[in-house]
Amino acid sequence: MQKNRILSFLPYLIVILAVMSLFTMNNPGRTSQLSYKEFQTVLKEEKITKSALSIGDNITTVRGVYKDKDDKSVTFTSTIPSTSASIEETIEKLEDSELSIVDAEASNLFIDTLISLIPFLFMGGLAIWMVNRMNGAGSANNKAFEFSRSRARLEGKVRVRFTDVAGCDEEKQEMAEVIDYLKYPKKFEKMGARIPKGILLCGHLGTGKTLLAQACAGEANVPFYSISGSDFVEMFVGVGASRVRDMFKKAQQTAPCIIFIDEIDAVGRQRGAGFGGGHDEREQTLNQLLVEMDGMNDNSGIVVIAATNRPDVLDPALLRAGRFDRQITVSLPDRNGREAILRVHARNKPFASDVDLGALAKRTPGFSGADLENVLNEAAILAVRHHSDEIHLAHVDEAIDRVMMGPAKVSRTYDDKTKKLVAYHESGHAIIGLYLENSVVVQKVTIIPRGQAGGYNLMTPKEEKMMNTRNDLLATITSYMGGRTAEELFFDDVTTGAVNDFERATNIARDMVTLYGMSDLGPIKYDSGNENVFLGRDYNSPSNVSGQVAFEIDQEVRKIVNECHDKAKEVINAHRTELERIAEALMEYETLTAEQIQKVVNGESIAEEFAYKKEAAPAETPADTQA
C-alpha cells in the first residue's frame, strides 16, 4: 500500500524537477546583472572571455563570462541599445572573445511561453493533488458507486495445465471438448453442435474441481473470469443481481471466454427453502443468474463452469439442460489415479530409493487428491525436521498417520495395565483382518496415542470395489467389533476405547437396514435419521417411518451388530495364541506393520528389524521432542 502511494506522487515529482531544471538552465549560479556603465568598463578592460548577443528591436541583451580582480570567472548579463553604432562598437570589442549572435525571438519564444504557463501548471497540479486527497479521504463514498459492480477477477496467465491434473482422465476428456470448441468453433458448428452453456463440477471434497477448472482455462487460452458464490451475496437486496448482470456484460465484451463460479451452492440454493418470502437477496441473485445463462438474451460464447460439493441443495432450474448442460462428477481416485496424483506432487521432492509410490497408492484408499498432496508435503516437512537430504519411507509412513489421526503423542505414557489393554484391543482388530474372509486388512497397528485415540489401526480393503456386498459390510462391522471383543475375552472387563468403533459399526448397520435393503425388513428405503435438515424444505415434509417401523429398524440394527459381535468372538477364540503374540509384540515394539504382524503370527522374530531401525534413526532434535 505504501509503495502504491509513492508511485501515485511520482508524476508530480517529475514535473517539479523538470521545472526546477529549466530555471536552473536559464538562471545559472553567480550571474551578475551589469549596468550599461559597468558593462562598458568591463568591455574596455577586455576581460570578457565568452559572450553572446541577443539582438532585439529596441534592446540587445549581452550574456557572457569575464575575469574579475581575483581572476575568477563571473557570469554576467547586461543590456545595450539596439542602435547600429552601439552594436557595431560592441561587436568589435568582443571579437577577441568567443562571440556568438543569437536570434532574440527564436531564443525566447519557448522560454517565455513556458514561464507564462508555469503558474497554470502549478495550480493545476495542486488542484489534482487536492482532489486525490479528497478521494482518498472519501473512499468509502466512492465505493458506493462501485458496490454493484462485478467482483469477478480476470485472470492473467493461468499456468495450470492438464498435465498438472491427475487421477481424473474421463473428466479431463469432457472438459477438453469445451476447450476444443473455444479454439475451433467452426468444426462443431459444421455438425450443428453448440457450445455447452454451463458445466457443473461436483464431487467429494478435495478431488480437484477447482484445479480442473484452472487447467481448462490454461489450456483454452481465452479470457478467464473467476468468482466465488459468496461474492454475489450482500446485505442489500438487488446488489447480487446487479453484479451478475455486470459480470455477464463484461464477459460478453471478451467472448469467447470462461466464467468460473466456485462454491456455487452459496448463491444457487433451492428457492423457497427458507421461511421468508421470495424477495430476499439470494433468490434475487439466483433469478438473475438463471436469466443470464438462458433467458431472452443470448450470451453466446460464454461458458460457465461451476464447482460445488453439495449438488443436492441446488435449485432444479439451475441444473436443467440449457443452463448447466453437462454435470461432471469428480470422484475419488482409484489406485492408478492415486499413483498418478502422487507422481505429480512428487516432481519437486527428492525421494529415497525405498519409497515406492505405487505401494503408497495401494495403502491410501479413499484419499482425495488434496489428502495425497498433504501427505507428501508432511513427509517433506518431517524430512527437514530430521535434517535428512531425502524423503524416506519412514517419513511417508508417519505423514500418512498424521493426516489421518494427527501427530503421535509420544510424551503421553501408559501404565502397564492400560498399555496391555490397548495392545490387546488393537490386536483384536488385527486378528479379524487376518482370519475373516472379506474383512479389511490391517496395514499398520500402533499403541502410540494419536488424536483422541489411545491406539490406531490402518485398515484397508483387500481390493478396491465399485460396490460392496452384504458379506463385505458384515465383515467390516466384525472388524470394528474385534477390539471390544478382545477386551471382554482376555480381561473380563471393557474400556471406553471402542466408542469410535461402535459409531462406525452402527452407521454401517443402519445404512444396511434403511438404505440398502439388506435386512429382514425388505428392499425398502426408510428415513435414516442422519440426513442434514434443509431448512424449510425438510421441517414440514412428512416422515415415511411409523413408530412401529422405527422400532423394527432399531431391532434389525441391533441384530446385525450382535451377530457381528458373536462372529468376532468366534474368530478370536479360534486364534487366541496368535492374538497374544501380536499383543506382546505391540507392548515391546509399540508399532507393527502388516509384514511384521504376519511374521509375529508365524512365530518369527522381528527384533533385528527394530534394532536396525534404532541404529539408523536420526538423533532427536528439540523440535522432535516437542512434536
Side-chain angles (χ1 to χ4, degrees):
M1 184 64 70
Q2 188 68 22
K3 183 178 179 181
N4 292 336
R5 289 183 177 178
I6 295 174
L7 292 176
S8 64
F9 287 105
L10 187 59
Y12 307 127
L13 182 62
I14 293 174
V15 172
I16 293 173
L17 292 177
V19 174
M20 291 177 62
S21 64
L22 287 174
F23 277 110
T24 304
M25 291 172 60
N26 293 280
N27 297 283
R30 296 192 63 189
T31 300
S32 299
Q33 182 69 34
L34 300 180
S35 64
Y36 180 75
K37 185 176 181 180
E38 290 173 341
F39 173 68
Q40 292 298 328
T41 302
V42 173
L43 191 62
K44 289 179 181 179
E45 295 176 356
E46 297 182 352
K47 293 183 177 181
I48 298 176
T49 59
K50 187 176 182 180
S51 60
L53 268 66
S54 178
I55 302 173
D57 295 335
N58 298 317
I59 296 175
T60 297
T61 302
V62 182
R63 295 182 178 87
V65 180
Y66 73 93
K67 298 287 186 179
D68 62 2
K69 296 179 181 180
D70 299 329
D71 200 27
K72 293 182 179 180
S73 297
V74 179
T75 302
F76 74 93
T77 180
S78 183
T79 56
I80 60 175
S82 295
T83 60
S84 300
S86 178
I87 293 174
E88 290 178 0
E89 181 184 357
T90 303
I91 292 174
E92 289 178 359
K93 292 182 180 182
L94 291 176
E95 285 180 348
D96 295 335
S97 65
E98 297 180 9
L99 177 62
S100 60
I101 306 298
V102 181
D103 186 358
E105 295 181 0
S107 61
N108 293 332
L109 180 62
F110 174 73
I111 295 175
D112 293 342
T113 304
L114 182 61
I115 290 175
S116 64
L117 291 176
I118 283 176
F120 299 99
L121 293 174
F122 178 76
M123 294 301 295
L126 182 61
I128 293 174
W129 179 74
M130 293 180 65
V131 169
N132 287 339
R133 289 294 301 271
M134 293 174 63
N135 287 341
S139 59
N141 294 329
N142 291 335
K143 288 182 179 179
F145 296 99
E146 301 180 359
F147 198 63
S148 60
R149 293 185 179 178
S150 171
R151 300 290 181 88
R153 297 174 297 276
L154 178 59
E155 302 290 342
K157 294 183 178 179
V158 181
R159 298 182 178 180
V160 181
R161 296 293 186 269
F162 277 160
T163 55
D164 301 317
V165 183
C168 49
D169 296 335
E170 293 79 8
E171 291 84 352
K172 288 194 292 185
Q173 184 177 359
E174 294 290 321
M175 301 293 287
E177 290 181 359
V178 177
I179 297 171
D180 197 23
Y181 189 100
L182 292 172
K183 289 183 176 180
Y184 314 105
K186 293 184 179 179
K187 183 171 62 175
F188 289 83
E189 291 174 358
K190 184 179 179 181
M191 298 298 297
R194 66 169 179 83
I195 187 172
K197 294 184 178 180
I199 298 176
L200 181 64
L201 301 176
C202 53
H204 195 274
L205 302 172
T207 50
K209 298 182 291 295
T210 303
L211 186 65
L212 192 60
Q214 290 177 335
C216 182
E219 294 286 348
N221 195 24
V222 295
F224 179 70
Y225 297 89
S226 64
I227 190 172
S228 172
S230 59
D231 288 336
F232 293 110
V233 183
E234 292 288 349
M235 64 180 294
F236 302 108
V237 176
V239 174
S242 178
R243 289 178 177 175
V244 172
R245 287 192 296 269
D246 188 58
M247 179 180 68
F248 277 88
K249 180 180 178 181
K250 291 180 179 179
Q252 188 65 45
Q253 296 171 355
T254 58
C257 64
I258 296 175
I259 296 177
F260 174 60
I261 306 176
D262 198 8
E263 303 297 342
I264 194 174
D265 53 277
V267 68
R269 286 178 179 268
Q270 183 174 344
R271 291 169 293 180
F275 290 114
H279 297 286
D280 65 295
E281 167 65 359
R282 180 179 286 109
E283 290 198 7
Q284 293 286 345
T285 306
L286 175 59
N287 291 338
Q288 188 62 44
L289 182 61
L290 296 176
V291 172
E292 293 292 341
M293 291 188 69
D294 187 22
M296 298 297 294
N297 297 325
D298 184 17
N299 288 312
S300 59
I302 300 176
V303 179
V304 180
I305 301 177
T308 181
N309 49 37
R310 291 295 308 275
D312 56 307
V313 302
L314 295 180
D315 194 273
L318 189 64
L319 299 177
R320 74 162 175 83
R323 293 198 173 106
F324 281 109
D325 298 302
R326 187 173 295 178
Q327 297 184 29
I328 301 176
T329 301
V330 187
S331 306
L332 289 171
D334 57 9
R335 178 180 174 182
N336 294 330
R338 291 194 299 272
E339 183 176 355
I341 292 172
L342 289 170
R343 295 193 184 281
V344 169
H345 294 298
R347 290 174 181 173
N348 61 338
K349 296 178 177 62
F351 284 93
S353 57
D354 59 345
V355 178
D356 183 3
L357 296 181
L360 179 59
K362 184 178 179 180
R363 290 178 50 193
T364 51
F367 275 48
S368 65
D371 294 331
L372 296 172
E373 191 274 338
N374 194 23
V375 166
L376 295 188
N377 185 62
E378 287 288 343
I381 293 174
L382 290 171
V384 174
R385 179 181 296 181
H386 293 156
H387 309 290
S388 176
D389 296 332
E390 294 179 321
I391 302 175
H392 293 273
L393 181 60
H395 300 140
V396 179
D397 286 339
E398 176 63 20
I400 295 175
D401 296 340
R402 279 173 167 265
V403 170
M404 296 186 68
M405 299 292 295
K409 299 180 179 180
V410 294
S411 60
R412 183 184 298 178
T413 56
Y414 287 126
D415 57 76
D416 293 340
K417 181 179 179 181
T418 304
K419 186 175 184 179
K420 187 175 182 180
L421 274 168
V422 175
Y424 273 82
H425 178 101
E426 303 301 336
S427 300
H429 292 300
I431 284 295
I432 300 297
L434 285 174
Y435 294 103
L436 181 63
E437 188 178 359
N438 299 322
S439 178
V440 291
V441 180
V442 176
Q443 297 289 346
K444 184 178 182 181
V445 59
T446 179
I447 60 173
I448 298 175
R450 286 184 182 273
Q452 300 296 323
Y456 165 58
N457 264 285
L458 175 60
M459 296 183 287
T460 62
K462 295 179 180 178
E463 58 182 12
E464 296 185 41
K465 301 178 180 179
M466 291 292 295
M467 59 185 68
N468 292 315
T469 65
R470 184 175 187 274
N471 290 331
D472 292 335
L473 296 177
L474 291 175
T476 302
I477 297 175
T478 305
S479 299
Y480 288 134
M481 303 303 296
R484 167 57 66 87
T485 304
E487 295 175 7
E488 295 172 348
L489 295 179
F490 287 90
F491 296 95
D492 197 23
D493 198 359
V494 293
T495 67
T496 59
V499 58
N500 191 38
D501 299 331
F502 294 160
E503 180 181 359
R504 295 183 181 182
T506 304
N507 288 338
I508 294 175
R510 183 168 293 277
D511 288 343
M512 290 175 65
V513 177
T514 60
L515 295 179
Y516 308 140
M518 296 179 178
S519 69
D520 294 340
L521 297 183
I524 302 175
K525 181 186 179 301
Y526 301 97
D527 288 340
S528 59
N530 57 2
E531 295 179 352
N532 294 326
V533 175
F534 191 19
L535 188 63
R537 184 188 70 185
D538 295 334
Y539 270 140
N540 296 325
S541 61
S543 175
N544 61 348
V545 176
S546 64
Q548 177 62 31
V549 172
F551 173 76
E552 293 178 1
I553 289 174
D554 292 337
Q555 291 290 102
E556 288 295 321
V557 171
R558 183 179 294 110
K559 176 182 176 182
I560 291 174
V561 174
N562 288 338
E563 288 178 355
C564 293
H565 188 197
D566 295 338
K567 185 65 177 181
K569 287 182 179 180
E570 179 184 341
V571 175
I572 291 176
N573 279 322
H575 302 279
R576 293 177 65 96
T577 303
E578 290 84 352
L579 189 147
E580 290 176 345
R581 290 176 183 173
I582 297 174
E584 291 174 359
L586 277 175
M587 287 187 288
E588 182 176 358
Y589 304 114
E590 294 186 335
T591 302
L592 299 175
T593 64
E595 294 79 7
Q596 292 167 346
I597 291 174
Q598 192 62 50
K599 289 182 179 180
V600 169
V601 169
N602 296 335
E604 302 176 15
S605 175
I606 58 174
E608 295 181 358
E609 297 182 21
F610 284 91
Y612 170 75
K613 290 183 179 181
K614 188 175 182 179
E615 293 174 359
E620 282 192 351
T621 63
D624 298 331
T625 307
Q626 205 171 24

